[in-house]
Amino acid sequence: MVPEEQETCCRGAGAMHGPERPCCRRAGGGGGGALVEPAALAALLNRGAHGYDVRRAISELTGGELEVDAGGLYRVLRRLEAEGFVVSAWSEGDSGPQRRDYEITSEGRELAEDWLSHLRERQRVAGLLADVLSAALAPSKV
Amino acid sequence: MVPEEQETCCRGAGAMHGPERPCCRRAGGGGGGALVEPAALAALLNRGAHGYDVRRAISELTGGELEVDAGGLYRVLRRLEAEGFVVSAWSEGDSGPQRRDYEITSEGRELAEDWLSHLRERQRVAGLLADVLSAALAPSKV
DNA sequence: GCCCACTAGCTGCATCTCGCATATAGTGTT
DNA sequence: AACACTATATGCGAGATGCAGCTAGTGGGC
């Protein structure tokens, strides 16, 4: 992993650098849409883990393209638990800082399926709009 | 008065149906990411028009898949003007309610190009995450 | 005359996600 | 002791969106 070229305007879900173009700047909030929650679910589908590990898993599963904020991830995990999509328990006996082990529930699995279709839909709409934009930018090149 | 049929979840940013799943519910804010601005730019690239017409144009260009909120659209247009990406003028002489005609500037065209690559990137990331989710959901079906 | 629908523009308000900074602990290293 | 790394968590502000509501002009039905 050699991230020398950080051209990616949306490294995480909206990291940017150039204060020039608002198009990128506007990725601040929901810029790319909700990504952390589905990413966390995907990581937990593979295997139960604690938050810090989930973060690493997300990075690995996506080839380092999705680096989620740790704070945000913990928030998402707590919320998912409050809504019954994951369960957690303090992992005891280990040395080191306390860890909270998460596991996905059957409801969480259903939620992941919903996310899947949702993401496909989002992908489709983004492509559709991109095509429209592309056509509008180069009408002569039809 | 609680609206019984709240089908609307992400009608604009990605049509959905299930009212239960928070995956859809969370489309409230940045749910599908910024779409109104690029859509407005695409509409104005085709031809200058007033806001209400831009809204119709967006709907038509996307085959009715993207129905943006009128209020939000006006807000976006005003902001785009404040930043120099479009210009507007009150259209006079017409009967009926006052209309503000918008036209895209050369800077707006550049912005649209940025949006294009941004959308392609977003499309790619959404697809990537969808693939990861898909693989995690059906590991046996490799 | 009165009410309503449609076009047209605009403003609040609530909600959601995200990134960055910061606080807390425990453990191991220098 | 100071520092780095793991691990969890909270505070704060920014952006984008949807919904409801307000102003105004025009025209149609009762």
Side-chain angles (χ1 to χ4, degrees):
Chain A
M1 20 185 137
V2 191
E4 33 187 305
E5 284 297 343
Q6 202 175 352
E7 274 300 322
T8 59
C9 155
C10 347
R11 197 194 53 216
M16 11 111 266
H17 26 65
E20 293 287 346
R21 291 278 169 248
C23 138
C24 210
R25 193 189 65 212
R26 285 197 223 302
L35 290 169
V36 176
E37 184 172 308
L41 288 171
L44 287 175
L45 276 170
N46 282 312
R47 62 188 187 293
H50 56 281
Y52 212 79
D53 236 35
V54 167
R55 186 159 174 268
R56 258 194 298 261
I58 290 174
S59 178
E60 286 169 17
L61 286 171
T62 59
E65 299 218 50
L66 214 75
E67 304 262 359
V68 304
D69 176 62
L73 176 59
Y74 288 120
R75 243 189 292 253
V76 164
L77 287 172
R78 301 300 304 260
R79 192 187 53 202
L80 284 174
E81 181 173 25
E83 291 171 341
F85 298 115
V86 302
V87 289
S88 80
W90 285 110
S91 143
E92 43 180 312
D94 288 332
S95 63
Q98 281 208 299
R99 291 198 267 146
R100 191 191 283 272
D101 283 316
Y102 284 93
E103 223 174 302
I104 196 166
T105 66
S106 58
E107 294 195 352
R109 184 170 285 269
E110 287 176 35
L111 180 60
E113 285 172 13
D114 283 358
W115 267 113
L116 177 56
S117 62
H118 190 76
L119 285 169
R120 294 267 188 234
E121 175 68 11
R122 186 188 296 178
Q123 179 189 17
R124 201 178 61 78
V125 172
L128 172 66
L129 195 50
D131 289 343
V132 168
L133 250 179
S134 179
L137 278 166
S140 52
K141 274 206 170 185
V142 179
Chain B
M1 244 61 85
V2 181
E4 303 266 349
E5 291 296 342
Q6 201 170 0
E7 284 293 333
T8 67
C9 210
C10 341
R11 201 190 45 219
M16 272 320 220
H17 17 68
E20 288 287 345
R21 296 282 167 241
C23 137
C24 201
R25 194 189 63 209
R26 283 196 226 301
L35 291 169
V36 177
E37 183 172 311
L41 289 171
L44 287 175
L45 275 169
N46 282 312
R47 64 188 186 292
H50 56 280
Y52 211 80
D53 234 35
V54 167
R55 186 159 175 268
R56 258 194 297 261
I58 291 174
S59 179
E60 286 170 17
L61 285 171
T62 60
E65 301 219 47
L66 215 74
E67 303 262 359
V68 305
D69 176 63
L73 177 60
Y74 288 121
R75 244 189 295 252
V76 165
L77 287 173
R78 300 302 302 260
R79 193 186 53 203
L80 284 173
E81 180 172 27
E83 291 171 340
F85 298 115
V86 301
V87 288
S88 79
W90 285 111
S91 143
E92 42 180 312
D94 287 332
S95 64
Q98 281 208 301
R99 291 198 267 147
R100 192 191 283 272
D101 283 316
Y102 284 94
E103 224 175 300
I104 197 166
T105 66
S106 59
E107 294 195 352
R109 184 171 284 269
E110 286 177 35
L111 180 61
E113 284 172 12
D114 284 357
W115 266 114
L116 177 56
S117 62
H118 189 76
L119 285 171
R120 294 263 187 239
E121 174 69 12
R122 186 188 296 178
Q123 179 188 17
R124 202 179 60 80
V125 172
L128 172 65
L129 195 50
D131 289 344
V132 169
L133 250 180
S134 180
L137 278 167
S140 53
K141 277 205 169 184
V142 178

